[in-house]
Amino acid sequence: MDGLAARSVPWEVEPAYPDEGPNVMRDADDIARFYDCCSDFMRELLEALAGHPDEPRPFPEVEDAMGWPRRRIASVLGGVCRLRHREFAGRRPYHFLAPRVAASGRWEIWADAAQANAIRAVQLDEAL
């Protein structure tokens, strides 16, 4: 495989992708509100995910690309859990693949194209 890690293809492993469940945030206004309410670390993660739409990547690969230490994503997601449940009925503006179905055999995370567009739009609004 030329040294490259195997890649998961979301629509092959998630039957109703990108709307695979009730925990997936779809509304651009909700995504913008989530972005506004979350921590700087969570915003940084969302921005990194938006840069690679529809591309599931294992946590360590995302952390390496962001210059983050290992396990920071788990910490950031744990920190935003209360906000997700209190303000957004548990919904999240990103997707997960469990290790049992992920090509990498590890937890994978990504934003779909619509989520990435909403994240980039709120970034542009804040930059103005």
Side-chain angles (χ1 to χ4, degrees):
M1 231 179 358
D2 296 47
L4 298 175
R7 291 287 183 199
S8 297
V9 180
W11 44 91
E12 290 179 359
V13 293
E14 295 289 343
Y17 181 78
D19 300 313
E20 79 270 8
N23 288 337
V24 176
M25 194 177 289
R26 310 292 327 144
D27 182 75
D29 290 336
D30 284 346
I31 292 170
R33 193 164 63 90
F34 183 94
Y35 186 95
D36 288 341
C37 293
C38 68
S39 70
D40 290 343
F41 281 134
M42 188 67 219
R43 278 191 285 279
E44 190 177 346
L45 175 58
L46 290 173
E47 292 164 8
L49 298 177
H52 297 269
D54 291 320
E55 186 181 323
R57 296 179 293 158
F59 286 16
E61 184 178 324
V62 176
E63 290 163 337
D64 289 348
M66 295 176 69
W68 280 8
R70 291 292 162 92
R71 304 200 193 320
R72 178 165 289 165
I73 289 177
S75 176
V76 169
L77 295 177
V80 79
C81 182
R82 187 172 181 177
L83 171 69
R84 281 184 40 234
H85 288 279
R86 187 181 65 231
E87 300 290 328
F88 300 96
R91 292 174 296 121
R92 59 191 188 287
Y94 48 87
H95 298 260
F96 285 123
L97 278 180
R100 72 185 184 306
V101 295
S104 67
R106 304 189 73 156
W107 280 101
E108 295 181 355
I109 188 170
W110 78 99
D112 64 48
Q115 292 168 326
N117 286 339
I119 293 164
R120 286 192 295 266
V122 74
Q123 279 181 274
L124 288 174
D125 285 348
E126 287 194 354
L128 297 178

